Structures are given as C-alpha cells and as structure tokens.
Amino acid sequence: MSETMNALVLHAVGDLRHETVPAPQLKPGWARIRVAAAGVCGSDVPRVFHHGTYKMPLVPGHELSGVIEAIPPESDTPLRPGDPVTIFPLIPCRKCAYCEIGAYGQCVSYDYLGSRTDGGFADYVLAPVANLLRVPDGVSLADAALTEPAAVALHALRQGDAAVGDRVVVLGAGPIGMMIAQWATLLGARCVLLVDIDARKLELARSLALGQTYNAREGDPVDWVKQATAGRGADLVIEAAGAPQTFEQALRMARPLGRVVMMGNPAGDVRLPQATVSQLLRKQLTIRG
C-alpha cells in the first residue's frame, strides 16, 4: 500500500481541499479499508459549508463501502483482507450504561467517522473491526455504500412499530424518505403516501412506483391524506423533511391512536398551535424520535 493517499480534507467551514495526505496506519482493533464508494449525506453539506466538524482538519464522509486492505492479526473476526464491507460509522465507547444494553446510538462518549474522526472521502479509512459488515455476494459496492441511510430508514419504521396493513405517510421525499417508502412496502403497508414540495423528487418517486404522491405547494397535505385514507387518517406518519410545518402536519395527519416518528433534523424552532396539541391529547398519539 502507498504511504500517501488522496483525500478531501475540511480545514475550515467552506474550505474543503483535495490533498495528498499520509495514509492511515493500522492499529489494534481497527482495520484499514480501501474505499470503493462514499455517499454525500444531507448532513455533509451543512457540515462542510455551514457549521464544520468537531475538529479540523478532518476528512468527512460516513456513508461508505470498500474492501479490507489490512486487519490486525489478533482480531476475533471471520473477516479477512479482500472482503467487501460496509461500515457502521458510529463508534461507541462500549462502556457506558447505554452501550451495556446495546443502545449504541445513545452512547454518551461516542466517536463518529466523518465528523469526529477521519471518514470516507479518501482512498483509505480506518474503522473498528467490530463496525465492519460484510457485503453479501451479488451486492455492488456502490449499492452497499447506501447501507447506513437504508438502515436509518428501516429504523424509523421500527420506531413507529410499522405493521402489515398500515397506511403510512412519509413527509419528505428525499433519499431516505424514498427508502422509507420502499421499506414500508416490503413490510406490508396497505398504502404509502409521500408528500414533498419538490416536483422533481415526486416525479422520481412515481417513476419508482413508491406510492401515491402529493405536492404540498398545491394544497393542504393534511386534507389530501384524509381523502386518501377515506377520512381515517394515517396509522403511521414519518416526518422526514425537518421543516417546522411538517412536524405540525404529521400530528394532524395521524388517526386516533396513531403513531408519529420524528426523523428529520428541524431547520428551525417548532411551535405547535393549541388546536394541534389538543388533537395530540385527544387522539392519544404515540410520538417517537
């Protein structure tokens, strides 16, 4: 392996440079991965151009796949050099109370590829052996780079206790919103309703047969959902847009005893009208993050 590599290095907000840098060296418990594909997450854009990473300089990128180039010989794993892998980017401490129960997303002292430690916008990346997932035969490495966002989408549905026969609404037809729609169909949803304000995204969703679509620029999406569900409302609403108004709409779309999952990172403060909060109480909604 070369002692240097190509990398995109963030030196300051808005200062992302293509550089030749030292390649990462193997260390105990961490494998060296030759990166094959790395996605640009919706969080990477503001991270690079607006608020930066936790330390700089740093290589961004956390949606990635590649091939194991080297692995510590003492590693207790069936993985070997040459194996295709994708990477769980959150690196838990494995010591805190949440790690002890397997709730790694709530780790109080975690590391993270691409925001706290060097990530995948480079030829090589280091990652804990425990965070590597072998890519099944027949799955391309380009597709495997989407494992992390696909897992986010599936987790949102699991948080909402998605069940066969559910009427599912997805607010936000971005990449993860579209993945939610695909997962919902695979999990047996009766119908999937997607709402967005971008006609191009909705056209793509229709071309992929992801469900019924509605452009919220053309009317009230809450009324549309009620019409599409014969006045019943949605069994499960997943807010995947992060807009203050969609947080409020999600609560109004859900049927009595329905479930709402808040997934989108809010772009501003969320204020709820009294009438909506009254509906929340009266309908006895279940709301989860």
Side-chain angles (χ1 to χ4, degrees), residues 12-282:
V13 174
D15 184 7
L16 184 66
R17 308 178 199 172
H18 175 225
E19 298 179 335
T20 300
V21 300
Q25 298 302 305
L26 205 63
K27 62 182 181 180
W30 292 56
R32 186 167 56 231
I33 312 302
R34 186 170 69 251
V35 177
V40 179
C41 177
S43 66
D44 286 324
V45 177
R47 185 172 288 127
V48 169
F49 294 105
H50 298 293
H51 55 69
T53 49
Y54 287 86
K55 63 177 182 179
M56 292 178 278
L58 185 133
V59 178
H62 62 269
E63 301 176 357
L64 63 148
S65 65
V67 175
I68 296 176
E69 197 271 343
I71 195 167
E74 72 277 6
S75 299
D76 182 17
T77 176
L79 294 170
R80 293 291 181 267
D83 284 347
V85 293
T86 185
I87 304 172
F88 177 46
L90 187 147
I91 304 168
C93 73
R94 300 186 184 274
K95 298 177 182 178
C96 70
Y98 295 103
C99 285
E100 286 181 348
I101 62 171
Y104 301 123
Q106 284 66 52
C107 175
V108 299
S109 184
Y110 66 91
D111 201 346
Y112 204 92
L113 294 178
S115 63
R116 296 172 183 252
T117 196
D118 285 339
F121 292 173
D123 290 333
Y124 295 92
V125 65
L126 284 187
V129 173
N131 286 51
L132 303 181
L133 300 169
R134 195 185 192 286
V135 176
D137 295 340
V139 177
S140 75
L141 287 172
D143 289 342
L146 293 171
T147 300
E148 191 268 351
V152 171
L154 179 58
H155 183 61
L157 285 162
R158 287 175 172 169
Q159 286 291 87
D161 295 326
V164 173
D166 274 351
R167 299 165 177 85
V168 178
V169 175
V170 183
L171 292 168
I176 292 181
M178 292 193 193
M179 290 180 186
I180 292 171
Q182 293 180 67
W183 279 121
T185 299
L186 289 169
L187 293 173
R190 179 192 302 263
C191 67
V192 178
L193 310 174
L194 291 98
V195 178
D196 206 289
I197 58 173
D198 189 326
R200 296 170 301 173
K201 292 179 181 178
L202 295 172
E203 176 58 34
L204 177 58
R206 286 192 293 272
S207 72
L208 296 172
L210 298 183
Q212 302 176 54
T213 63
Y214 185 77
N215 192 327
R217 293 190 186 277
E218 299 175 359
D220 185 347
V222 178
D223 289 342
W224 176 72
V225 167
K226 290 182 179 178
Q227 293 172 9
T229 59
R232 172 189 174 93
D235 301 296
L236 172 59
V237 183
I238 298 182
E239 196 293 317
Q245 60 267 38
T246 52
F247 275 76
E248 192 265 343
Q249 290 166 353
L251 300 174
R252 293 167 52 210
M253 289 174 176
R255 64 165 174 83
L257 303 180
R259 293 100 65 202
V260 178
V261 175
M262 302 301 193
M263 193 198 75
N265 285 314
D269 291 341
V270 178
R271 295 180 174 86
L272 297 176
Q274 180 181 2
T276 302
V277 176
S278 294
Q279 283 189 36
L280 186 163
L281 303 177
R282 178 70 182 85

